[in-house]
């Protein structure tokens, strides 16, 4: 029973263009969502989060959008840079972020120079 | 500030053998997590400690996996005996206040069971 789904295993974009990574969830109890970035041989690092009381959160080149009715969130990276090439994990939790994280399978982003 | 330390980084064992992983969290972090990440999957929480007490071990296969954090600082995760399906990266993370967005992950231990 996969509660957090990232249906695109990989995505390739050109440097300078927009990268859009998608995530769907099934558990309506989730109220806090996070994106993590992972480079090979390293642990995931926190990138950006959003609470269910918001529909958008922005941090520099990274913006996360939340559509609660569709149980869908997306991460936009603008402009994409080669250093953004990594695996991106979507994660969800309940009780405002104090409960355990449930991760998606990840999307491997490749940004081509 | 030093990050989360894990050792060893890589381990290869045969099935039915035992193995142990060590984690030293960021200084002062009361909450410690062990995750299992199987190839092609996202990390899955195995166990969460608050100081030296277990908060959540609902997904820990207790017939073969054990973990301890005796002094509320570093932690050990053990598998005995190992199975082929235990091949994965074992990630340790720590958090100052137990919030999801304040978890810092270590580099992980890649376990291969032959």
């Amino acid at each position: 029973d996969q509660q957090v789904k990232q249906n695109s295993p990989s995505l390739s974009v050109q440097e300078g263009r927009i990268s859009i990574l998608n995530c769907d969830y099934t558990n309506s109890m989730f109220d806090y969502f996070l994106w993590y970035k992972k480079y090979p041989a390293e642990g995931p690092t926190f990138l950006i989060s959003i609470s269910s009381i918001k529909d958008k959160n922005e941090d520099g080149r990274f913006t996360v959008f939340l559509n609660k009715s569709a149980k869908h969130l997306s991460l936009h990276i603008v402009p994409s840079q080669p250093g953004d090439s990594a695996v991106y994990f979507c994660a969800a939790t309940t009780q405002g972020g104090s409960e355990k994280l449930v991760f998606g399978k990840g999307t491997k982003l490749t940004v081509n120079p | 500030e030093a990050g989360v330390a894990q050792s060893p980084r890589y381990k290869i064992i045969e099935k039915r053998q035992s193995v142990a992983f060590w984690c030293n969290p960021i200084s002062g972090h009361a909450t410690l997590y062990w995750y299992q990440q199987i190839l092609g999957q996202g990390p899955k929480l195995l166990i969460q400690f608050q100081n030296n007490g277990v908060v959540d071990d609902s997904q820990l296969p207790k017939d073969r996996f054990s973990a301890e954090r005796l002094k509320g600082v570093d932690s050990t995760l053990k598998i005995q005996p190992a199975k082929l399906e235990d091949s994965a990266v074992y990630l340790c993370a720590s958090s100052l206040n137990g919030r999801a967005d304040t978890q810092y992950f270590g580099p992980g231990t890649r376990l291969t069971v032959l």
Side-chain angles (χ1 to χ4, degrees), chain B residues 10-47:
Chain B
Y10 304 91
K11 190 74 177 178
I12 300 174
I13 62 172
E14 295 192 349
K15 61 183 179 183
R16 291 188 289 273
Q17 286 187 322
S18 301
V19 65
F21 313 125
W22 175 81
C23 171
N24 193 27
I26 293 172
S27 178
H29 280 199
T31 311
L32 185 147
Y33 313 79
W34 282 103
Y35 290 85
Q36 179 192 58
Q37 186 181 5
I38 293 172
L39 186 64
Q41 305 286 325
K44 181 183 81 171
L45 180 69
L46 293 176
I47 189 167

Short mmCIF file of all heavy atoms in Angstrom, two decimals, chain B residues 10-47:
data_model
loop_
_atom_site.label_atom_id
_atom_site.label_comp_id
_atom_site.label_asym_id
_atom_site.label_seq_id
_atom_site.Cartn_x
_atom_site.Cartn_y
_atom_site.Cartn_z
N TYR B 10 30.14 0.45 3.92
CA TYR B 10 29.77 -0.68 3.08
C TYR B 10 30.01 -1.98 3.86
O TYR B 10 30.97 -2.07 4.63
CB TYR B 10 30.60 -0.71 1.79
CG TYR B 10 30.52 0.56 0.98
CD1 TYR B 10 31.43 1.59 1.18
CD2 TYR B 10 29.51 0.74 0.05
CE1 TYR B 10 31.34 2.76 0.46
CE2 TYR B 10 29.42 1.92 -0.68
CZ TYR B 10 30.34 2.93 -0.46
OH TYR B 10 30.25 4.09 -1.17
N LYS B 11 29.14 -2.95 3.62
CA LYS B 11 29.29 -4.25 4.26
C LYS B 11 28.73 -5.32 3.35
O LYS B 11 27.61 -5.17 2.83
CB LYS B 11 28.55 -4.25 5.61
CG LYS B 11 28.82 -5.45 6.47
CD LYS B 11 30.19 -5.41 7.09
CE LYS B 11 30.41 -6.59 8.02
NZ LYS B 11 31.78 -6.60 8.60
N ILE B 12 29.50 -6.37 3.18
CA ILE B 12 29.04 -7.52 2.40
C ILE B 12 29.10 -8.74 3.30
O ILE B 12 30.14 -9.03 3.89
CB ILE B 12 29.92 -7.75 1.15
CG1 ILE B 12 29.88 -6.52 0.24
CG2 ILE B 12 29.45 -8.98 0.38
CD1 ILE B 12 30.82 -6.60 -0.95
N ILE B 13 27.99 -9.44 3.41
CA ILE B 13 27.93 -10.65 4.25
C ILE B 13 27.17 -11.72 3.50
O ILE B 13 26.50 -11.45 2.50
CB ILE B 13 27.26 -10.38 5.61
CG1 ILE B 13 25.80 -9.93 5.41
CG2 ILE B 13 28.04 -9.36 6.42
CD1 ILE B 13 25.01 -9.83 6.71
N GLU B 14 27.25 -12.93 4.02
CA GLU B 14 26.46 -14.01 3.46
C GLU B 14 25.17 -14.16 4.28
O GLU B 14 25.13 -13.79 5.47
CB GLU B 14 27.26 -15.30 3.45
CG GLU B 14 28.47 -15.21 2.52
CD GLU B 14 29.11 -16.56 2.27
OE1 GLU B 14 28.75 -17.52 2.95
OE2 GLU B 14 29.98 -16.62 1.38
N LYS B 15 24.16 -14.71 3.64
CA LYS B 15 22.89 -14.89 4.36
C LYS B 15 23.13 -15.76 5.58
O LYS B 15 24.00 -16.61 5.61
CB LYS B 15 21.83 -15.49 3.44
CG LYS B 15 22.16 -16.84 2.87
CD LYS B 15 21.04 -17.29 1.92
CE LYS B 15 21.40 -18.64 1.31
NZ LYS B 15 20.37 -19.09 0.34
N ARG B 16 22.33 -15.48 6.57
CA ARG B 16 22.36 -16.13 7.89
C ARG B 16 23.47 -15.61 8.80
O ARG B 16 23.53 -15.98 9.96
CB ARG B 16 22.45 -17.66 7.78
CG ARG B 16 21.18 -18.30 7.22
CD ARG B 16 21.23 -19.81 7.31
NE ARG B 16 22.19 -20.36 6.36
CZ ARG B 16 21.87 -20.66 5.11
NH1 ARG B 16 20.67 -20.44 4.64
NH2 ARG B 16 22.79 -21.18 4.30
N GLN B 17 24.34 -14.73 8.25
CA GLN B 17 25.33 -14.10 9.13
C GLN B 17 24.70 -12.93 9.87
O GLN B 17 23.58 -12.51 9.58
CB GLN B 17 26.54 -13.62 8.30
CG GLN B 17 27.45 -14.75 7.84
CD GLN B 17 28.71 -14.23 7.18
OE1 GLN B 17 28.69 -13.22 6.45
NE2 GLN B 17 29.82 -14.91 7.43
N SER B 18 25.43 -12.42 10.84
CA SER B 18 24.98 -11.26 11.61
C SER B 18 25.77 -10.03 11.18
O SER B 18 26.91 -10.13 10.70
CB SER B 18 25.21 -11.51 13.10
OG SER B 18 24.51 -12.65 13.52
N VAL B 19 25.15 -8.88 11.39
CA VAL B 19 25.82 -7.62 11.04
C VAL B 19 25.31 -6.52 11.97
O VAL B 19 24.18 -6.60 12.48
CB VAL B 19 25.56 -7.26 9.56
CG1 VAL B 19 24.08 -6.97 9.31
CG2 VAL B 19 26.43 -6.10 9.11
N ALA B 20 26.17 -5.55 12.22
CA ALA B 20 25.78 -4.42 13.08
C ALA B 20 26.24 -3.12 12.44
O ALA B 20 27.31 -3.05 11.83
CB ALA B 20 26.39 -4.57 14.47
N PHE B 21 25.39 -2.11 12.58
CA PHE B 21 25.68 -0.78 12.06
C PHE B 21 25.69 0.20 13.22
O PHE B 21 24.89 0.08 14.16
CB PHE B 21 24.62 -0.33 11.04
CG PHE B 21 24.27 -1.36 10.02
CD1 PHE B 21 22.95 -1.75 9.83
CD2 PHE B 21 25.24 -1.96 9.24
CE1 PHE B 21 22.61 -2.71 8.88
CE2 PHE B 21 24.92 -2.91 8.29
CZ PHE B 21 23.60 -3.29 8.11
N TRP B 22 26.53 1.20 13.10
CA TRP B 22 26.67 2.19 14.17
C TRP B 22 26.32 3.57 13.66
O TRP B 22 26.61 3.91 12.50
CB TRP B 22 28.10 2.15 14.70
CG TRP B 22 28.41 3.18 15.72
CD1 TRP B 22 28.12 3.15 17.05
CD2 TRP B 22 29.08 4.42 15.50
NE1 TRP B 22 28.58 4.29 17.68
CE2 TRP B 22 29.17 5.09 16.74
CE3 TRP B 22 29.63 5.04 14.37
CZ2 TRP B 22 29.77 6.33 16.88
CZ3 TRP B 22 30.23 6.27 14.51
CH2 TRP B 22 30.30 6.91 15.76
N CYS B 23 25.71 4.37 14.54
CA CYS B 23 25.34 5.73 14.18
C CYS B 23 25.65 6.67 15.35
O CYS B 23 25.29 6.38 16.50
CB CYS B 23 23.84 5.80 13.85
SG CYS B 23 23.21 7.49 13.64
N ASN B 24 26.28 7.78 15.02
CA ASN B 24 26.49 8.84 16.01
C ASN B 24 25.76 10.09 15.53
O ASN B 24 26.13 10.66 14.50
CB ASN B 24 27.97 9.12 16.19
CG ASN B 24 28.23 9.97 17.43
OD1 ASN B 24 27.46 9.95 18.38
ND2 ASN B 24 29.31 10.72 17.42
N PRO B 25 24.71 10.51 16.21
CA PRO B 25 23.91 11.64 15.74
C PRO B 25 24.62 12.97 15.96
O PRO B 25 25.68 13.03 16.58
CB PRO B 25 22.66 11.55 16.60
CG PRO B 25 23.15 10.97 17.89
CD PRO B 25 24.24 9.99 17.49
N ILE B 26 24.01 14.01 15.46
CA ILE B 26 24.51 15.35 15.70
C ILE B 26 24.41 15.64 17.20
O ILE B 26 23.40 15.30 17.84
CB ILE B 26 23.72 16.39 14.88
CG1 ILE B 26 24.00 16.17 13.39
CG2 ILE B 26 24.07 17.81 15.30
CD1 ILE B 26 23.14 17.00 12.47
N SER B 27 25.43 16.28 17.74
CA SER B 27 25.47 16.54 19.17
C SER B 27 24.23 17.30 19.63
O SER B 27 23.84 18.31 19.04
CB SER B 27 26.73 17.35 19.49
OG SER B 27 26.78 17.66 20.87
N GLY B 28 23.62 16.79 20.68
CA GLY B 28 22.46 17.46 21.24
C GLY B 28 21.13 17.04 20.66
O GLY B 28 20.07 17.43 21.17
N HIS B 29 21.16 16.23 19.61
CA HIS B 29 19.91 15.78 19.00
C HIS B 29 19.33 14.63 19.81
O HIS B 29 19.93 13.57 19.93
CB HIS B 29 20.16 15.35 17.56
CG HIS B 29 20.23 16.50 16.61
ND1 HIS B 29 20.08 16.36 15.24
CD2 HIS B 29 20.43 17.81 16.82
CE1 HIS B 29 20.18 17.55 14.68
NE2 HIS B 29 20.40 18.44 15.61
N ALA B 30 18.12 14.84 20.32
CA ALA B 30 17.50 13.85 21.18
C ALA B 30 16.83 12.73 20.40
O ALA B 30 16.68 11.61 20.89
CB ALA B 30 16.47 14.53 22.08
N THR B 31 16.41 13.03 19.18
CA THR B 31 15.67 12.04 18.39
C THR B 31 16.58 11.40 17.35
O THR B 31 17.30 12.09 16.65
CB THR B 31 14.46 12.70 17.69
OG1 THR B 31 13.73 13.47 18.65
CG2 THR B 31 13.55 11.64 17.10
N LEU B 32 16.53 10.09 17.29
CA LEU B 32 17.36 9.33 16.35
C LEU B 32 16.48 8.34 15.60
O LEU B 32 15.59 7.72 16.20
CB LEU B 32 18.49 8.61 17.10
CG LEU B 32 19.54 7.87 16.26
CD1 LEU B 32 20.90 7.93 16.95
CD2 LEU B 32 19.14 6.44 15.99
N TYR B 33 16.73 8.23 14.32
CA TYR B 33 15.93 7.37 13.44
C TYR B 33 16.84 6.42 12.68
O TYR B 33 17.93 6.80 12.26
CB TYR B 33 15.18 8.21 12.40
CG TYR B 33 14.45 9.43 12.89
CD1 TYR B 33 15.13 10.62 13.16
CD2 TYR B 33 13.06 9.42 13.05
CE1 TYR B 33 14.47 11.75 13.59
CE2 TYR B 33 12.38 10.56 13.47
CZ TYR B 33 13.09 11.72 13.73
OH TYR B 33 12.42 12.85 14.15
N TRP B 34 16.34 5.22 12.45
CA TRP B 34 16.95 4.28 11.51
C TRP B 34 15.96 4.02 10.38
O TRP B 34 14.79 3.70 10.63
CB TRP B 34 17.30 2.95 12.18
CG TRP B 34 18.53 2.97 13.02
CD1 TRP B 34 18.61 3.01 14.38
CD2 TRP B 34 19.89 2.89 12.57
NE1 TRP B 34 19.92 2.99 14.79
CE2 TRP B 34 20.72 2.91 13.70
CE3 TRP B 34 20.48 2.80 11.30
CZ2 TRP B 34 22.12 2.84 13.62
CZ3 TRP B 34 21.86 2.74 11.22
CH2 TRP B 34 22.67 2.76 12.36
N TYR B 35 16.45 4.16 9.16
CA TYR B 35 15.64 3.90 7.97
C TYR B 35 16.30 2.79 7.15
O TYR B 35 17.52 2.65 7.13
CB TYR B 35 15.56 5.14 7.08
CG TYR B 35 14.74 6.28 7.59
CD1 TYR B 35 15.28 7.23 8.45
CD2 TYR B 35 13.41 6.44 7.20
CE1 TYR B 35 14.53 8.30 8.92
CE2 TYR B 35 12.65 7.51 7.65
CZ TYR B 35 13.21 8.43 8.50
OH TYR B 35 12.47 9.49 8.95
N GLN B 36 15.47 2.07 6.42
CA GLN B 36 15.93 1.10 5.43
C GLN B 36 15.52 1.59 4.05
O GLN B 36 14.35 1.91 3.84
CB GLN B 36 15.30 -0.27 5.69
CG GLN B 36 15.72 -1.35 4.69
CD GLN B 36 14.85 -2.59 4.81
OE1 GLN B 36 13.64 -2.54 4.67
NE2 GLN B 36 15.47 -3.73 5.09
N GLN B 37 16.50 1.69 3.15
CA GLN B 37 16.17 2.10 1.78
C GLN B 37 16.60 1.00 0.82
O GLN B 37 17.79 0.84 0.53
CB GLN B 37 16.84 3.41 1.40
CG GLN B 37 16.39 3.90 0.03
CD GLN B 37 17.04 5.18 -0.42
OE1 GLN B 37 17.93 5.71 0.23
NE2 GLN B 37 16.58 5.69 -1.54
N ILE B 38 15.63 0.27 0.33
CA ILE B 38 15.88 -0.77 -0.67
C ILE B 38 16.01 -0.10 -2.03
O ILE B 38 15.37 0.92 -2.29
CB ILE B 38 14.73 -1.80 -0.66
CG1 ILE B 38 14.76 -2.57 0.67
CG2 ILE B 38 14.82 -2.76 -1.83
CD1 ILE B 38 13.58 -3.49 0.89
N LEU B 39 16.84 -0.65 -2.88
CA LEU B 39 17.10 -0.06 -4.19
C LEU B 39 15.79 0.20 -4.94
O LEU B 39 14.94 -0.68 -5.06
CB LEU B 39 17.98 -1.01 -5.01
CG LEU B 39 18.47 -0.50 -6.37
CD1 LEU B 39 19.38 0.70 -6.18
CD2 LEU B 39 19.17 -1.61 -7.13
N GLY B 40 15.64 1.44 -5.40
CA GLY B 40 14.45 1.81 -6.15
C GLY B 40 13.27 2.22 -5.29
O GLY B 40 12.19 2.50 -5.83
N GLN B 41 13.46 2.24 -3.99
CA GLN B 41 12.39 2.62 -3.06
C GLN B 41 12.82 3.86 -2.28
O GLN B 41 14.00 4.23 -2.25
CB GLN B 41 12.11 1.49 -2.07
CG GLN B 41 11.79 0.15 -2.71
CD GLN B 41 10.42 0.11 -3.29
OE1 GLN B 41 9.48 0.71 -2.76
NE2 GLN B 41 10.27 -0.57 -4.42
N GLY B 42 11.85 4.46 -1.61
CA GLY B 42 12.17 5.53 -0.69
C GLY B 42 12.55 4.97 0.67
O GLY B 42 12.29 3.79 0.95
N PRO B 43 13.17 5.76 1.51
CA PRO B 43 13.51 5.29 2.86
C PRO B 43 12.25 4.90 3.63
O PRO B 43 11.21 5.54 3.52
CB PRO B 43 14.19 6.51 3.50
CG PRO B 43 14.67 7.33 2.35
CD PRO B 43 13.66 7.13 1.27
N LYS B 44 12.37 3.84 4.41
CA LYS B 44 11.28 3.38 5.27
C LYS B 44 11.76 3.38 6.71
O LYS B 44 12.80 2.80 7.02
CB LYS B 44 10.83 1.98 4.87
CG LYS B 44 9.66 1.44 5.71
CD LYS B 44 9.29 0.02 5.33
CE LYS B 44 10.20 -0.99 5.98
NZ LYS B 44 9.73 -2.38 5.79
N LEU B 45 11.00 4.04 7.58
CA LEU B 45 11.39 4.12 8.99
C LEU B 45 11.34 2.74 9.64
O LEU B 45 10.33 2.05 9.58
CB LEU B 45 10.47 5.08 9.75
CG LEU B 45 10.80 5.24 11.23
CD1 LEU B 45 12.11 5.99 11.42
CD2 LEU B 45 9.66 5.96 11.95
N LEU B 46 12.45 2.36 10.27
CA LEU B 46 12.48 1.12 11.04
C LEU B 46 12.20 1.38 12.51
O LEU B 46 11.42 0.67 13.14
CB LEU B 46 13.85 0.43 10.89
CG LEU B 46 14.21 -0.11 9.51
CD1 LEU B 46 15.62 -0.67 9.51
CD2 LEU B 46 13.21 -1.18 9.08
N ILE B 47 12.87 2.37 13.07
CA ILE B 47 12.74 2.64 14.49
C ILE B 47 13.10 4.09 14.77
O ILE B 47 13.96 4.66 14.10
CB ILE B 47 13.61 1.67 15.33
CG1 ILE B 47 13.31 1.80 16.82
CG2 ILE B 47 15.09 1.86 15.03
CD1 ILE B 47 13.91 0.67 17.66
#
